[in-house]
């Protein structure tokens, strides 16, 4: 099922709709996807705050390399 939504930069655009309809469940209005990069600053700020909190708690987020076992 294809529905149409208004996109701020592209006008009326087709979007895939939900093929299931449940009688007692209201459909939420569809909306266009946000522009690419719209939330980048907020996400990076949140990651910086999480890294600072980890440093303050003396928890270092590191990726451990797998241990290789050598059998003789």
């Amino acid at each position: 099922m294809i529905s149409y939504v208004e996109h701020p930069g592209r006008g009326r655009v087709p979007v895939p709709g939900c093929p299931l309809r449940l009688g007692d469940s209201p459909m939420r209005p569809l909306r266009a996807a946000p522009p690419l990069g719209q939330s980048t600053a907020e996400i990076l700020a949140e990651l910086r705050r999480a890294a600072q909190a980890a440093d303050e708690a003396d928890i270092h987020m590191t990726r451990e390399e797998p241990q290789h076992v050598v059998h003789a």
Side-chain angles (χ1 to χ4, degrees):
M1 168 181 209
I2 301 294
S3 297
Y4 291 88
V5 297
E6 286 297 321
H7 187 277
R10 297 189 177 191
R12 189 172 181 235
V13 296
V15 294
C18 181
L20 303 175
R21 299 283 182 247
L22 303 175
D24 292 335
S25 298
M27 270 189 57
R28 294 187 311 196
L30 297 175
R31 56 188 169 95
L36 185 62
Q38 175 179 324
S39 301
T40 301
E42 293 88 1
I43 292 169
L44 291 175
E46 185 176 336
L47 289 173
R48 279 191 292 274
R49 284 191 300 271
Q52 288 172 348
D55 286 343
E56 289 170 5
D58 198 30
I59 299 173
H60 299 284
M61 294 184 226
T62 60
R63 180 176 168 224
E64 293 185 22
E65 295 296 322
Q67 299 294 323
H68 297 284
V69 178
V70 177
H71 297 282

